[in-house]
Amino acid sequence: MTRVAAFLLRRRGGKGWHWTDVFTWMWLIGGVVLMFGPAVWLAGSSFKSPAALAEFPPSILPYVTAEATVEGYEKPLPLYRVAGEDGETRILAQVRRIGIVAQMVDPKAPGEIVKVNIADRTPVREISFATENYTEPFLHFDFFLYLRNSLFVTLMATLITLVTNSMAAFALSKYQFRGRSFVMLLILATLMVPLSVILVPLYSIISAMGLFNSLWGVILPTVATPTGVFLLRQYMLTIPDELIDAARMDRASEWQIYWRIVLPLTAPALAVLAIFSVVWRWNDFLWPLIVLSRKELYTLQVGLNTYAGELNVQWHYILAMTVVTMLPVVLVFVFLQRFITTGIAGSGLK
């Protein structure tokens, strides 16, 4: 522990602070806040009540107004700190509010009604985690059905993406044919075409194939990605051609060369593409929203949209379920992140 502390607290100026030390700490702290601040705010807000979410300025921790059970009243009453004319602060419970005047009582002596201007009181706040934001969607929301659909779409799309993109990359990296560079350039050019431009042609194709309102209609149009082909091709170019020539001399078929030699050697790049594909498919919203109109086929991202009505948006449920939907992506990244550096470095990407 002392070595870690000495490493973190070491300074270029020795015992004193150098200006580069100050700049480095400000840069690192700013980067941490910028990267993890939104995630911390999301996690904290997912435990807030609707009233706490509407407060301004917002807070990270889920604060609520404390309540107390007062004799003679059925429901618990909210507590407020009220400053008296003599400067003494009292804690009173609000019975009702009429305009700018609040009718309040002392919880210990509830017989007398005290009228207080709302500007002269401050709520007694305490931390309270609204766990029902997580439990209610599981009880009254088809979460597990949408989770199963999302898992099916993500897993099948990722597997098909790895196979199709690796096949294309193998052909473009290890076969010599006329127009190979032009084909690769054409594939890379599709990176500049946004999805919104090809939505209508894709929809027409899916409808003609009878895949409308089908999970396969969500999966198939997105399996071929130019990013995946380029990443895998660049990595496969580092595999020696002599290794493949030796396999052909041993009478290995092209499929055996691809399956038993090239794919195992391309495992780091495949892991990187798998991470990208899982993130893409899991977070995809626009295309499933267009293809799927039956509620039982919704993915998680489309299903969460049911909490956003025309006149009312249930942000507390949306934030809580957003945290839940982030967990699979985070777990995939944690278990496969060691391949990212190796795969990207081997493919020559920056």
Side-chain angles (χ1 to χ4, degrees):
M1 187 65 183
T2 55
R3 292 183 178 180
V4 176
F7 174 78
L8 294 176
L9 299 177
R10 63 180 181 175
R11 297 189 288 267
R12 182 180 180 182
K15 294 184 179 180
W17 285 90
H18 193 265
W19 71 268
T20 55
D21 298 326
V22 179
F23 178 78
T24 301
W25 275 104
M26 292 178 60
W27 179 266
L28 293 177
I29 294 174
V32 170
V33 172
L34 184 63
M35 294 296 295
F36 295 99
V40 173
W41 179 88
L42 173 64
S45 298
S46 66
F47 289 99
K48 292 181 179 180
S49 63
L53 287 173
E55 289 183 350
F56 186 85
S59 61
I60 296 179
L61 296 177
Y63 287 102
V64 296
T65 301
E67 296 181 339
T69 302
V70 181
E71 183 180 357
Y73 298 92
E74 297 181 357
K75 297 181 180 180
L77 302 179
L79 298 177
Y80 291 86
R81 289 188 179 89
V82 179
E85 296 180 355
D86 54 356
E88 182 183 357
T89 301
R90 303 170 58 191
I91 296 180
L92 302 179
Q94 176 178 286
V95 178
R96 66 181 60 87
R97 172 184 168 183
I98 303 176
I100 62 173
V101 177
Q103 297 181 357
M104 314 187 80
V105 295
D106 189 341
K108 298 179 181 179
E112 180 184 359
I113 297 291
V114 180
K115 296 183 179 181
V116 179
N117 191 298
I118 60 174
D120 299 331
R121 60 170 194 177
T122 56
V124 178
R125 297 168 64 84
E126 62 182 6
I127 297 177
S128 177
F129 294 92
T131 55
E132 62 272 10
N133 293 348
Y134 287 87
T135 57
E136 286 296 322
F138 282 97
L139 296 176
H140 306 291
F141 178 64
D142 296 328
F143 181 84
F144 291 105
L145 176 62
Y146 300 154
L147 176 63
R148 185 187 65 184
N149 294 337
S150 290
L151 287 175
F152 178 79
V153 170
T154 301
L155 293 177
M156 295 305 299
T158 299
L159 290 176
I160 299 175
T161 295
L162 294 178
V163 173
T164 55
N165 286 269
S166 60
M167 286 182 176
F170 176 64
L172 292 171
S173 61
K174 297 304 176 186
Y175 290 160
Q176 300 292 334
F177 58 91
R178 182 179 299 178
R180 186 180 71 165
S181 300
F182 176 75
V183 172
M184 190 63 207
L185 183 63
L186 190 63
I187 292 175
L188 292 178
T190 59
L191 285 171
M192 296 182 291
V193 181
L195 177 62
S196 56
V197 174
I198 59 175
L199 278 180
V200 175
L202 277 180
Y203 182 84
S204 300
I205 294 173
I206 291 300
S207 180
M209 295 177 62
L211 295 178
F212 183 73
N213 263 331
S214 171
L215 293 179
W216 289 106
V218 179
I219 296 171
L220 295 180
T222 59
V223 293
T225 59
T227 303
V229 174
F230 176 72
L231 188 149
L232 295 178
R233 176 183 178 272
Q234 294 301 108
Y235 195 94
M236 289 180 183
L237 287 175
T238 63
I239 300 176
D241 293 337
E242 291 79 7
L243 185 61
I244 296 177
D245 294 336
R248 288 171 179 160
M249 292 179 64
D250 290 336
R251 295 181 175 274
S253 65
E254 297 300 316
W255 174 259
Q256 290 175 327
I257 294 173
Y258 161 76
W259 189 257
R260 296 186 177 182
I261 298 176
V262 175
L263 277 189
L265 294 176
T266 321
L270 289 173
V272 175
L273 181 58
I275 295 175
F276 289 164
S277 179
V278 168
V279 174
W280 294 336
R281 311 310 170 209
W282 188 264
N283 294 328
D284 195 8
F285 172 76
L286 180 59
W287 182 242
L289 180 65
I290 294 174
V291 175
L292 305 175
S293 60
R294 292 166 51 191
K295 190 175 181 180
E296 60 271 16
L297 295 176
Y298 283 175
T299 60
L300 271 176
Q301 308 302 330
V302 179
L304 288 177
N305 192 49
T306 59
Y307 284 122
E310 183 177 355
L311 301 176
N312 182 30
V313 180
Q314 297 173 300
W315 287 112
H316 53 302
Y317 291 147
I318 293 178
L319 293 174
M321 290 300 98
T322 301
V323 173
V324 175
T325 56
M326 285 173 54
L327 293 179
V329 177
V330 173
L331 292 177
V332 169
F333 179 81
V334 168
F335 285 108
L336 297 181
Q337 57 89 20
R338 63 189 182 94
F339 292 105
I340 293 180
T341 304
T342 306
I344 292 180
S347 61
L349 295 178
K350 293 183 179 180

